[in-house]
Coordinates of all heavy atoms in Angstrom, one line a residue:
M1 N -0.7 39.6 33.3 CA 0.5 38.8 33.0 C 1.4 38.8 34.2 O 1.6 39.8 34.9 CB 1.3 39.5 31.9 CG 2.6 38.9 31.5 SD 3.4 39.9 30.2 CE 4.9 38.9 29.9
R2 N 1.9 37.6 34.5 CA 2.8 37.5 35.6 C 4.1 36.8 35.1 O 4.1 36.0 34.2 CB 2.2 36.6 36.7 CG 1.0 37.2 37.4 CD 0.5 36.3 38.5 NE 1.5 35.9 39.5 CZ 1.9 36.7 40.5 NH1 1.3 37.9 40.6 NH2 2.8 36.3 41.3
V3 N 5.2 37.1 35.8 CA 6.5 36.5 35.5 C 7.1 36.0 36.8 O 6.8 36.5 37.9 CB 7.5 37.5 34.8 CG1 7.0 37.8 33.4 CG2 7.7 38.7 35.6
E4 N 7.9 35.0 36.6 CA 8.7 34.4 37.7 C 10.1 34.0 37.2 O 10.2 33.6 36.0 CB 8.0 33.3 38.4 CG 7.7 32.1 37.5 CD 6.9 31.1 38.3 OE1 6.6 31.3 39.5 OE2 6.5 30.1 37.6
V5 N 11.1 34.0 38.0 CA 12.4 33.6 37.7 C 12.7 32.2 38.4 O 12.5 32.1 39.6 CB 13.5 34.6 38.1 CG1 14.9 34.0 37.8 CG2 13.3 35.9 37.3
D6 N 13.1 31.2 37.6 CA 13.5 30.0 38.2 C 14.9 30.1 38.7 O 15.9 30.2 37.9 CB 13.4 28.9 37.1 CG 13.8 27.5 37.6 OD1 14.4 27.4 38.7 OD2 13.6 26.5 36.9
R7 N 15.1 30.2 40.0 CA 16.4 30.5 40.6 C 17.3 29.3 40.4 O 18.6 29.5 40.5 CB 16.2 30.8 42.1 CG 15.4 32.1 42.3 CD 16.2 33.3 41.8 NE 17.5 33.4 42.4 CZ 17.7 34.2 43.5 NH1 16.7 35.0 43.9 NH2 18.9 34.3 44.0
T8 N 16.8 28.1 40.1 CA 17.7 27.0 39.8 C 18.3 27.0 38.4 O 19.2 26.4 38.1 CB 17.0 25.7 40.1 OG1 16.0 25.5 39.1 CG2 16.4 25.6 41.5
A9 N 17.6 27.8 37.5 CA 18.0 27.9 36.1 C 18.8 29.2 35.8 O 19.7 29.2 34.9 CB 16.8 27.8 35.2
C10 N 18.5 30.3 36.5 CA 19.2 31.5 36.2 C 20.7 31.4 36.6 O 21.0 30.9 37.7 CB 18.6 32.6 37.1 SG 19.4 34.2 37.0
V11 N 21.5 31.9 35.7 CA 23.0 31.9 35.9 C 23.5 33.3 35.9 O 24.7 33.5 36.0 CB 23.7 31.0 35.0 CG1 23.3 29.6 35.1 CG2 23.5 31.5 33.5
G12 N 22.6 34.3 35.8 CA 23.1 35.7 35.8 C 23.5 36.3 34.5 O 24.3 37.3 34.5
H13 N 22.9 35.9 33.4 CA 23.3 36.5 32.1 C 22.9 38.0 32.1 O 23.5 38.8 31.4 CB 22.6 35.8 31.0 CG 23.1 34.5 30.7 ND1 24.4 34.3 30.2 CD2 22.6 33.2 30.8 CE1 24.6 33.0 30.0 NE2 23.5 32.3 30.4
A14 N 21.9 38.4 32.9 CA 21.4 39.8 33.0 C 20.8 40.4 31.8 O 20.6 41.6 31.7 CB 22.6 40.6 33.5
Q15 N 20.5 39.6 30.8 CA 19.8 40.2 29.6 C 18.4 40.7 30.0 O 17.9 41.6 29.4 CB 19.8 39.1 28.5 CG 21.1 38.8 27.9 CD 21.0 37.9 26.7 OE1 20.0 37.8 26.1 NE2 22.1 37.2 26.5
C16 N 17.8 40.0 30.9 CA 16.5 40.4 31.3 C 16.5 41.8 31.9 O 15.6 42.6 31.7 CB 15.9 39.4 32.3 SG 16.9 39.0 33.7
L17 N 17.5 42.0 32.7 CA 17.6 43.4 33.4 C 17.8 44.4 32.3 O 17.3 45.6 32.4 CB 18.8 43.4 34.3 CG 18.7 42.7 35.7 CD1 18.5 41.2 35.5 CD2 19.9 43.0 36.5
A18 N 18.6 44.1 31.3 CA 18.9 45.1 30.2 C 17.6 45.4 29.4 O 17.4 46.5 29.0 CB 20.0 44.6 29.4
I19 N 16.9 44.3 29.1 CA 15.7 44.5 28.3 C 14.5 45.1 29.0 O 13.8 45.9 28.5 CB 15.3 43.1 27.7 CG1 16.4 42.6 26.7 CG2 14.0 43.2 27.0 CD1 16.2 41.1 26.3
C20 N 14.3 44.7 30.3 CA 13.1 45.1 31.0 C 13.5 45.5 32.4 O 13.1 44.7 33.4 CB 12.1 44.1 30.9 SG 10.5 44.6 31.5
P21 N 14.2 46.5 32.7 CA 14.6 46.9 34.0 C 13.4 47.3 34.9 O 13.6 47.3 36.2 CB 15.6 48.1 33.8 CG 15.2 48.7 32.5 CD 14.7 47.5 31.7
A22 N 12.3 47.6 34.4 CA 11.1 47.9 35.2 C 10.6 46.7 35.9 O 9.9 46.8 36.9 CB 10.0 48.5 34.3
V23 N 10.9 45.5 35.4 CA 10.3 44.2 36.0 C 11.4 43.4 36.6 O 11.1 42.7 37.6 CB 9.6 43.5 34.9 CG1 9.2 42.1 35.3 CG2 8.4 44.3 34.4
F24 N 12.6 43.4 36.1 CA 13.7 42.5 36.6 C 14.8 43.3 37.2 O 15.2 44.4 36.7 CB 14.3 41.7 35.4 CG 13.2 40.8 34.8 CD1 12.6 41.2 33.6 CD2 12.8 39.6 35.4 CE1 11.6 40.4 33.0 CE2 11.8 38.8 34.8 CZ 11.3 39.2 33.6
A25 N 15.3 42.8 38.3 CA 16.4 43.4 39.0 C 17.4 42.3 39.3 O 17.1 41.1 39.1 CB 16.0 44.2 40.2
S26 N 18.5 42.6 39.9 CA 19.5 41.6 40.3 C 19.6 41.6 41.8 O 19.5 42.6 42.5 CB 20.8 41.7 39.6 OG 21.4 42.9 40.0
D27 N 19.9 40.4 42.3 CA 20.1 40.3 43.8 C 21.6 40.5 44.0 O 22.4 40.8 43.1 CB 19.6 39.0 44.3 CG 20.4 37.8 43.8 OD1 21.4 37.9 43.2 OD2 19.9 36.6 44.1
E28 N 22.0 40.3 45.3 CA 23.4 40.6 45.6 C 24.4 39.7 45.0 O 25.6 40.0 44.9 CB 23.5 40.6 47.1 CG 23.3 39.3 47.8 CD 21.8 39.0 48.0 OE1 21.0 39.8 47.6 OE2 21.6 37.9 48.6
L29 N 23.9 38.6 44.5 CA 24.8 37.6 43.8 C 24.7 37.7 42.3 O 25.4 37.0 41.6 CB 24.4 36.2 44.2 CG 24.5 35.8 45.7 CD1 24.0 34.4 46.0 CD2 25.9 36.0 46.2
G30 N 23.9 38.6 41.8 CA 23.8 38.8 40.3 C 22.7 38.0 39.7 O 22.7 38.0 38.4
Y31 N 21.9 37.3 40.4 CA 20.8 36.5 39.8 C 19.6 37.4 39.7 O 19.4 38.4 40.5 CB 20.5 35.3 40.6 CG 21.7 34.3 40.7 CD1 22.3 34.1 41.9 CD2 22.1 33.6 39.6 CE1 23.4 33.3 42.0 CE2 23.2 32.8 39.7 CZ 23.8 32.6 40.9 OH 24.9 31.7 41.0
A32 N 18.7 37.1 38.8 CA 17.6 37.9 38.6 C 16.5 37.7 39.6 O 16.3 36.6 40.1 CB 17.0 37.6 37.2
V33 N 15.9 38.8 40.0 CA 14.7 38.8 40.8 C 13.6 39.6 40.1 O 13.9 40.5 39.3 CB 14.9 39.3 42.2 CG1 15.9 38.4 43.0 CG2 15.5 40.7 42.2
V34 N 12.4 39.3 40.4 CA 11.3 40.0 39.9 C 10.9 41.2 40.8 O 10.8 40.9 42.1 CB 10.0 39.1 39.6 CG1 8.8 39.9 39.1 CG2 10.4 38.1 38.6
V35 N 10.7 42.4 40.3 CA 10.4 43.5 41.1 C 8.9 43.3 41.5 O 8.0 43.0 40.7 CB 10.6 44.8 40.3 CG1 10.0 46.0 41.1 CG2 12.0 45.0 40.0
G36 N 8.6 43.6 42.8 CA 7.2 43.5 43.2 C 6.7 42.1 43.4 O 7.5 41.1 43.7
D37 N 5.4 41.9 43.1 CA 4.9 40.6 43.4 C 4.8 39.7 42.1 O 4.2 38.6 42.1 CB 3.5 40.7 44.0 CG 2.5 41.3 43.0 OD1 2.9 41.6 41.9 OD2 1.3 41.4 43.3
G38 N 5.4 40.1 41.0 CA 5.5 39.4 39.8 C 4.4 39.8 38.8 O 4.4 39.3 37.7
T39 N 3.5 40.6 39.2 CA 2.5 41.1 38.2 C 3.2 42.2 37.4 O 3.7 43.2 37.9 CB 1.3 41.7 39.0 OG1 0.7 40.7 39.8 CG2 0.3 42.2 38.0
V40 N 3.1 42.0 36.1 CA 3.7 43.0 35.1 C 2.7 44.0 34.7 O 1.6 43.7 34.2 CB 4.2 42.2 33.9 CG1 4.8 43.2 32.9 CG2 5.2 41.1 34.3
P41 N 3.0 45.3 34.9 CA 2.1 46.4 34.4 C 1.9 46.3 32.9 O 2.9 45.9 32.2 CB 2.9 47.7 34.8 CG 3.9 47.2 35.9 CD 4.2 45.8 35.6
P42 N 0.8 46.5 32.5 CA 0.5 46.4 31.0 C 1.5 47.1 30.1 O 1.8 46.5 29.1 CB -0.9 47.0 30.9 CG -1.5 46.9 32.2 CD -0.4 47.0 33.2
E43 N 2.0 48.2 30.5 CA 2.9 48.9 29.6 C 4.3 48.2 29.5 O 5.1 48.6 28.7 CB 3.1 50.4 30.1 CG 3.7 50.5 31.4 CD 2.7 50.6 32.6 OE1 1.6 50.0 32.5 OE2 3.0 51.2 33.6
H44 N 4.5 47.3 30.4 CA 5.8 46.6 30.3 C 5.7 45.1 29.9 O 6.7 44.4 29.9 CB 6.5 46.6 31.7 CG 6.8 48.0 32.2 ND1 7.7 48.8 31.5 CD2 6.5 48.7 33.3 CE1 7.8 50.0 32.1 NE2 7.1 49.9 33.2
E45 N 4.5 44.7 29.5 CA 4.3 43.3 29.1 C 5.2 42.9 27.9 O 5.7 41.8 27.9 CB 2.8 43.0 28.9 CG 2.0 43.0 30.1 CD 0.6 42.5 29.9 OE1 0.2 42.4 28.7 OE2 -0.1 42.3 30.9
D46 N 5.2 43.7 26.9 CA 6.0 43.4 25.7 C 7.5 43.2 26.1 O 8.1 42.2 25.6 CB 5.9 44.4 24.6 CG 4.5 44.4 24.0 OD1 3.7 43.4 24.2 OD2 4.2 45.3 23.2
D47 N 8.0 44.1 26.8 CA 9.4 44.0 27.2 C 9.7 42.8 28.1 O 10.7 42.1 28.0 CB 9.9 45.3 28.0 CG 10.1 46.4 27.0 OD1 10.1 46.2 25.8 OD2 10.2 47.6 27.5
A48 N 8.7 42.5 29.0 CA 8.9 41.3 29.9 C 8.9 40.1 29.1 O 9.6 39.1 29.4 CB 7.8 41.3 31.0
Q49 N 8.0 40.0 28.1 CA 7.9 38.8 27.2 C 9.2 38.7 26.5 O 9.8 37.6 26.3 CB 6.7 38.9 26.3 CG 6.6 37.7 25.4 CD 6.3 36.4 26.2 OE1 5.3 36.3 26.8 NE2 7.2 35.4 26.1
E50 N 9.7 39.8 26.0 CA 11.0 39.7 25.2 C 12.1 39.3 26.1 O 13.0 38.5 25.7 CB 11.3 41.1 24.7 CG 12.6 41.2 23.8 CD 12.8 42.5 23.2 OE1 12.0 43.4 23.3 OE2 13.9 42.7 22.6
A51 N 12.2 39.7 27.3 CA 13.2 39.3 28.3 C 13.1 37.8 28.5 O 14.1 37.1 28.5 CB 13.0 40.0 29.6
A52 N 11.9 37.3 28.6 CA 11.7 35.8 28.8 C 12.2 35.1 27.6 O 12.9 34.1 27.7 CB 10.3 35.5 29.1
D53 N 11.9 35.6 26.4 CA 12.3 35.0 25.2 C 13.8 34.9 25.0 O 14.3 34.0 24.4 CB 11.6 35.7 24.0 CG 10.1 35.5 23.9 OD1 9.6 34.6 24.6 OD2 9.5 36.3 23.2
F54 N 14.5 36.0 25.4 CA 15.9 36.1 25.2 C 16.8 35.5 26.3 O 18.0 35.5 26.1 CB 16.3 37.6 25.0 CG 16.1 38.1 23.6 CD1 14.8 38.5 23.1 CD2 17.1 38.1 22.7 CE1 14.6 38.9 21.8 CE2 16.9 38.5 21.4 CZ 15.7 38.9 20.9
C55 N 16.2 35.1 27.4 CA 17.0 34.5 28.4 C 17.6 33.2 27.9 O 16.9 32.3 27.5 CB 16.2 34.2 29.7 SG 17.2 33.2 30.9
P56 N 19.0 33.1 27.8 CA 19.6 31.9 27.3 C 19.3 30.6 28.1 O 19.4 29.5 27.5 CB 21.1 32.3 27.3 CG 21.1 33.7 27.4 CD 19.9 34.1 28.2
E57 N 18.9 30.8 29.3 CA 18.7 29.6 30.1 C 17.2 29.3 30.2 O 16.8 28.4 31.0 CB 19.2 29.9 31.6 CG 20.7 30.3 31.6 CD 21.6 29.3 30.9 OE1 21.4 28.1 31.0 OE2 22.6 29.7 30.3
Q58 N 16.4 30.1 29.6 CA 14.9 29.9 29.7 C 14.5 29.8 31.1 O 13.7 29.0 31.5 CB 14.5 28.7 28.9 CG 14.8 28.7 27.4 CD 14.4 27.5 26.6 OE1 14.3 26.4 27.1 NE2 14.1 27.8 25.4
A59 N 15.0 30.8 31.9 CA 14.8 30.8 33.3 C 13.6 31.6 33.7 O 13.2 31.6 34.9 CB 16.0 31.3 34.1
I60 N 13.0 32.3 32.8 CA 11.8 33.2 33.1 C 10.5 32.5 32.6 O 10.4 32.2 31.5 CB 12.0 34.6 32.4 CG1 13.3 35.2 32.9 CG2 10.8 35.5 32.7 CD1 13.7 36.5 32.2
G61 N 9.6 32.4 33.6 CA 8.3 31.8 33.2 C 7.3 32.9 33.1 O 7.3 33.9 33.9
V62 N 6.4 32.8 32.1 CA 5.4 33.8 31.9 C 4.0 33.1 32.0 O 3.8 32.0 31.4 CB 5.5 34.4 30.5 CG1 4.4 35.4 30.2 CG2 6.9 35.1 30.4
S63 N 3.1 33.7 32.7 CA 1.7 33.2 32.7 C 0.8 34.4 32.5 O 1.1 35.5 32.9 CB 1.5 32.5 34.1 OG 1.7 33.4 35.1
R64 N -0.3 34.1 31.9 CA -1.3 35.1 31.6 C -2.7 34.7 32.1 O -3.0 33.6 32.4 CB -1.4 35.3 30.1 CG -0.1 35.9 29.5 CD -0.3 36.1 28.0 NE 1.0 36.6 27.4 CZ 1.3 37.8 27.2 NH1 0.5 38.8 27.6 NH2 2.5 38.2 26.7
Ligands
LIG1 FE1 19.0 35.0 34.8 FE2 18.2 34.7 32.3 FE3 18.1 37.1 33.4 S1 20.0 33.7 33.2 S2 19.8 37.1 34.9 S3 17.0 35.2 34.1 S4 18.7 36.7 31.3

């Protein structure tokens, strides 16, 4: 599973960071960034999917 953040859609709601801090962090401007290369460790896949589902801007893309 891989995730990516659409930087043109993210407005910094930070729900993704709260739901899945192992995968999402914030940059210096408060926008989300993906930790590492975007590959989600299996143990964090459910949280990463939840973070994508709950982003109000639908800024998180998931691929499997
Ligand atoms: Fe951005 Fe959505 Fe997270 S707006 S900070 S990707 S909850």
Side-chain angles (χ1 to χ4, degrees):
M1 176 182 181
R2 292 182 57 81
V3 292
E4 60 184 359
V5 174
D6 180 349
R7 296 295 298 263
T8 65
C10 175
V11 297
H13 288 297
Q15 293 186 22
C16 56
L17 286 63
I19 294 170
C20 190
V23 173
F24 300 99
S26 63
D27 68 10
E28 65 278 3
L29 298 176
Y31 298 111
V33 294
V34 177
V35 175
D37 69 356
T39 302
V40 179
E43 65 270 28
H44 296 303
E45 287 189 352
D46 288 349
D47 284 348
Q49 181 65 61
E50 184 177 351
D53 293 342
F54 275 83
C55 173
E57 309 301 325
Q58 299 182 329
I60 300 172
V62 177
S63 59
R64 294 181 182 269

